[in-house]
Amino acid sequence: MIWWFLVFLPPLAGALAYGRAPLFAWFGASGVWLAALASAEGWSIGTTLVALAGLAVAFGVFLIVPLRRALISAPIFTAFRRALPSMSQTERDALEAGTVWWEGELFAGRPDWTRLAAYPWPKLSAEEQAFLDNETSELCRLVKDWETTGLQDMPQSVWQFIKDKGFLGMIIPKEYGGKGYSAFAHSQVITKLSTRSSAPAVTVMVPNSLGPAELLLHYGTPEQKQHYLPRLAAGQEIPAFALTSPWAGSDAASIPDAGVVCKGQWQGEEVLGMRVSFDKRYITLAPVCTVFGLAFRLYDPDHLLGQEADLGITCALVPHDHPGVEIGRRHFPLNAVWMNGPIRGKDVFMPLDFIIGGPKMAGQGWRMLMECLAAGRSISLPGSNTGMQKLTARAVGAYARVRYQFKTAIGRFEGVEEALTRIGANTYLCDAARIMTAGAIDLGEKPSVVSAIVKYHVTERARQTVNDGMDVIGGKGICLGPQNFLGRAYQQIPVGITVEGANILTRSLILFGQGAIRCHPYVLDEMHAAQQGDLKAFDRAFWGHIGYSVSSGVRAMVMGLTGSHFVGVPSDVAPETRRYYQQLTRFSAAFAFISDISMGSMGGALKRKEKLSARLGDILSLMYLATATLKRYESEGRQQGDAPLMHWAIWDCMFRAQNAFEGVIANFPNRFFAMILRRLVVFPLGRPYVVPSDQLGHEVARALIEPSATRDRLTADVYLPTELDEPLGALEAALLATVEAEPIEAKVKKAQRDGRFKPGLLVGGGVDALWVRAREAGIITAEEFVVLQRRGELRDKVIRVDDFPFDFGLKSASSATTRLKAVA
C-alpha cells in the first residue's frame, strides 16, 4: 500500500496538476512499475497484458479530455452540485469580498519566500512622521486618562484640538481637505494614542475606519463627496456608523431594521424616498455624532424602483437632527470614556438621495460593507491593542526592576520572568503582524482573511499581555486613580475581543471557513463552475484540485520524513532563521493536505464541526504570525538584541500550530484518515517543537527590565511624559535611578558579607535606613548616598497607590448622574 502510494500517486499528481507531459511520464513510469510487479509476482503473460491494457485504458480516459469529462467528471459534477448548499447573495458577497494576499501562499502549501522578502516594509513619509511626533504627541499630552474618567468625556479643548488638527480626516484625500495618509500612518497614530488613553484613540479611530468617510470615498456620488468629505476632514461633521441591532450582532447580515420605498414630503415637496424603522446599539460616537451611516434592509413592494421587491441591505447617510431620529443617549462599555450609544427611529422618511451612492446603490450595502471591512479591521483594533501591549511592556518592565520584594527586584524571580517573557514576545509578534498587514493595505490589498487573523490574534494576545502585566504589578494595578497606568486598559480589554466580529465566532467560523474558500487555489473556482453549470470549468478545477491535494500530501510526507532539512529557502535569509522557513514550508504543505482531507471527507458538515474548523484556522493564523515575525526581523536589520524576542515568538507559534494539528487529528471523525495524517503526513517522525526554553525566556524578560535599544525598539512610539507626576514619567526616572543605584547597593551588601560593615538594629529608620548607616560608616560616599536617596524617593512614588476621601465615590456618581441627565 505504502509503495503504491509513493510510486504511483506522485507522478499522477504531477500529471493532473501540470498537463499532458507529466501524464505521459506517469503512464511510462506506471507501466515499468507494473511490469516489474508482474515479474516479481510471477504473473502469466495474459494477466500482464490485461493489466497493461487496463492501464492504457485509464491513460486514454485521462488523456482524452472530452472522454474524461463525460465518463468521470460529469457524475462527480452532478453530485457536487447536489451537495453544494444554496448561497444567498449576501453570503456570496461576504465570501468573495476583499483580496487574497500572503495567506494564500500559506494555504496553498508552497509559500514563495522571495515574494515575502519583496514586500516593502512600511515607512512613514516625512509629513506623517512629523504628525506622529508633534500633533499626536501633543494630543497625548492634553489627555489624562484619570481626568477623562472623572469627566466621563474628554475636555472640550481636546475635542477641538482633534478637529482642528485633522485627526478625523486622516484617510480623506487632500483634494477634499483631508490628510491623505497611508494605512500605516493611520495605524501608527492609533497605536501611539492607545499607549496614553482609549478615549482619543477610539475617537480618532472610528471616523478613519469603516464608516461614512470610507464608504463615501468608494461609493459616494460626486455631490455627496463634495458636500460631506470636506466637512468630515475639517471636523465640522462627526460621523458614526449604525450597523448592530439588539437582534443582529455577530450575524449582522440578518438585521431586522427595514425601510420601504414610498413617496413622502421632503423640504416642501413630494419625492420618492424610504420610510425606515431602526433600532441600533453599541454605536461608537453616536451620542456626539452629527451624521451617521445607517444599514437597513430595503423593500420595494410597489416596484417603484424596479422589479425586485427585496432590494437587500442598503447604506444611507443620515443627519443626526433629521426628523424622527432618536439619538444622544449613552452606553458605558466597561466604563470607557469614549462615546457610544444607541440610535433609533420609527417610520423615518428619507429621500433616496440619502443612500450612499444614490438610488442606484440601493441593495448594495452588504457588498459595500464587506469590501471596506478588511481595511478598517486590519488597522483599528490591531493598532489599539498593540498600543496597550507596548504600554504594558514599557511600564511593567520598568516596575519589575524598581519594585523589590525579598530584597530582590521582582523582575528577577523566574515566576515573574514567565509573565514578562510573554509580554515582550507577544508585543514583538503583534507589532510585526500589525505593521505587515497595514503595509498590505497600502499595497492596494483588501485581505479579508488576514484582517480577521490580526483582529483575533492581536486582541487575544493583548488580553494575555495586559493580564500578565496586572499579575506582575499586583495591588498597584487594582487600585484605580491617577497613579494607575494599567487598570483602565485591563477594564476595557474585552471590548476589542467583542467588536468587529466576536472572537469566538471569528475563530470558529471565519478564519478557516472563509479562508478555505478564498485562499484555496481551486475551491472557489469549483463552486463558481457548479453554480453556473459549467462542466468544462469544473473539470479543469476539479482535476487540478486532485493533483494539488496529492502533491501536497506527498510533499508534506517527504518533508516530515527528512525533517524538512532539504527544503530550499532563499540564500539571503538570516542563518539563525533558516530552519523556521523550512519548517513553515513543511507545515504549510501539511496544512494544505489536511485541509483538503477535511473538506473532502466531511463536506458541508465541516461547517458544523466548529472546533475542528477553529483548530484549522489556528494553524493558518499562526503561520501568518510567524512569517510576519520573520519579515520584521529581516526588515529591521536582524537586530541581535531583538533575536530572543523573535525566537521565542516563532517557537511559540510553531508549538501552538503543532498542537492545533494534533487537535485536528485526534478529533478527526474518520479514524483511517487520522492515522494516515499522523503517521505518514504530519508527524511521521514525531512532534518537532516543544515550548520555548526557559533560557530564551530569561533573555526576553531581561530585555524588558533593562534600559536598552532593544527595549526602545520594542516600545517605539509609546508616549513618554517627562513629568514625575505622570506615572510613566516617574517609572522611567525610577528605572534609571534603580540601575544607577544597584552597584552602590551591591557595594554595601558586600561590605556586610565581608564583615566590614555591621549596621546593627535598624529601628524606625524605614527601608532606607541601611544606606544612612553605610554613609555614616564611610562605606559609601556622600555622592553615592544622594543616588540611593533619589532612587528611594522615586521608588516610593512609583509603588504608591491612590486614596480618596470616604465620600469620593458618592460624589463622583452624583456628578456623573447630573451630566447624564443633561445629555438626556
Side-chain angles (χ1 to χ4, degrees), residues 449-470:
V449 176
V450 161
S451 71
I453 288 172
V454 293
K455 185 273 172 184
Y456 172 80
H457 282 276
V458 172
T459 56
E460 285 293 340
R461 287 178 184 256
R463 170 155 57 181
Q464 176 74 70
T465 295
V466 174
N467 282 347
D468 281 333
M470 291 290 286

Side-chain angles (χ1 to χ4, degrees), residues 322-382:
H322 186 73
V325 171
E326 300 174 25
I327 198 168
R329 294 188 64 80
R330 187 175 179 183
H331 303 308
F332 281 96
L334 294 173
N335 209 33
V337 170
W338 39 270
M339 292 293 171
N340 186 278
I343 302 178
R344 303 182 181 97
K346 184 172 179 60
D347 294 330
V348 179
F349 182 78
M350 308 173 187
L352 292 178
D353 288 344
F354 277 21
I355 297 175
I356 297 175
K360 71 178 185 299
M361 295 302 289
Q364 301 299 308
W366 191 247
R367 177 174 63 84
M368 294 159 59
L369 293 173
M370 290 299 99
E371 289 177 352
C372 292
L373 176 63
R377 192 165 58 180
S378 297
I379 296 169
S380 301
L381 291 172

Side-chain angles (χ1 to χ4, degrees), residues 594 596-599 601-602 606 612 615-616 662-675 677:
I594 201 171
D596 272 334
I597 292 294
S598 300
M599 290 187 284
S601 63
M602 285 179 269
L606 180 58
L612 285 180
R615 295 183 186 110
L616 289 166
E662 183 61 43
V664 172
I665 295 169
N667 294 279
F668 208 80
N670 188 310
R671 300 314 300 161
F672 172 76
F673 281 147
M675 183 271 293
L677 289 168

Side-chain angles (χ1 to χ4, degrees), residues 218-515:
H218 288 92
Y219 308 106
T221 65
E223 295 78 15
Q224 289 172 336
K225 291 179 180 180
Q226 289 297 335
H227 176 76
Y228 279 112
L229 291 178
R231 296 173 62 81
L232 289 167
Q236 295 171 339
E237 301 278 9
I238 298 177
F241 191 83
L243 174 61
T244 304
S245 84
W247 305 276
S250 296
D251 184 15
S254 66
I255 51 175
D257 312 282
V260 176
V261 179
C262 61
K263 292 184 178 180
Q265 292 293 315
W266 174 245
Q267 296 181 341
E269 297 180 9
E270 186 179 69
V271 299
L272 194 59
M274 312 165 286
R275 196 166 300 281
V276 187
S277 294
F278 49 93
D279 185 354
K280 303 292 190 179
R281 65 179 181 180
Y282 310 150
I283 311 306
T284 302
L285 297 185
V288 295
C289 76
T290 60
V291 63
F292 62 92
L294 177 67
F296 58 95
R297 196 166 198 92
L298 184 60
Y299 297 92
D300 185 15
D302 297 329
H303 304 290
L304 298 176
L305 296 180
Q307 296 302 310
E308 293 290 333
D310 182 355
L311 298 178
I313 293 175
T314 300
C315 292
L317 205 54
V318 186
H320 77 291
D321 55 358
H322 186 73
V325 171
E326 300 174 25
I327 198 168
R329 294 188 64 80
R330 187 175 179 183
H331 303 308
F332 281 96
L334 294 173
N335 209 33
V337 170
W338 39 270
M339 292 293 171
N340 186 278
I343 302 178
R344 303 182 181 97
K346 184 172 179 60
D347 294 330
V348 179
F349 182 78
M350 308 173 187
L352 292 178
D353 288 344
F354 277 21
I355 297 175
I356 297 175
K360 71 178 185 299
M361 295 302 289
Q364 301 299 308
W366 191 247
R367 177 174 63 84
M368 294 159 59
L369 293 173
M370 290 299 99
E371 289 177 352
C372 292
L373 176 63
R377 192 165 58 180
S378 297
I379 296 169
S380 301
L381 291 172
S384 60
N385 281 258
T386 299
M388 284 190 279
Q389 291 187 80
K390 288 190 172 196
L391 168 65
T392 304
R394 187 87 187 187
V396 173
Y399 187 87
R401 183 68 173 269
V402 172
R403 175 66 161 161
Y404 273 47
Q405 291 288 275
F406 306 102
K407 301 180 181 180
T408 304
I410 62 172
R412 301 194 190 280
F413 289 98
E414 287 196 354
V416 174
E417 269 194 353
E418 280 193 314
L420 292 174
T421 298
R422 288 191 296 267
I423 290 170
N426 280 335
T427 301
Y428 185 86
L429 177 145
C430 290
D431 205 21
R434 172 189 73 88
I435 294 171
M436 187 165 111
T437 306
I441 304 299
D442 286 328
L443 292 174
E445 300 288 346
K446 294 181 179 180
S448 54
V449 176
V450 161
S451 71
I453 288 172
V454 293
K455 185 273 172 184
Y456 172 80
H457 282 276
V458 172
T459 56
E460 285 293 340
R461 287 178 184 256
R463 170 155 57 181
Q464 176 74 70
T465 295
V466 174
N467 282 347
D468 281 333
M470 291 290 286
D471 283 350
V472 172
I473 65 176
K476 173 75 175 179
I478 64 175
C479 293
L480 290 176
Q483 297 303 312
N484 189 322
F485 54 83
L486 198 58
R488 299 289 282 145
Y490 176 77
Q491 283 183 302
Q492 294 169 41
I493 272 288
V495 175
I497 302 296
T498 303
V499 301
E500 292 190 13
N503 277 10
I504 290 178
L505 170 105
T506 298
R507 177 173 178 261
S508 59
L509 295 180
I510 302 299
L511 295 181
F512 182 77
Q514 187 174 17

Side-chain angles (χ1 to χ4, degrees), residues 47 205 239 473 555 643 650 756:
T47 302
M205 180 173 77
I473 65 176
R555 289 178 62 250
I650 294 179
R756 293 182 292 109

Side-chain angles (χ1 to χ4, degrees), residues 54-75:
L55 182 63
V57 169
F59 171 71
V61 169
F62 282 104
L63 178 64
I64 304 170
V65 175
L67 190 61
R68 181 187 72 196
R69 196 181 298 148
L71 296 180
I72 302 177
S73 299

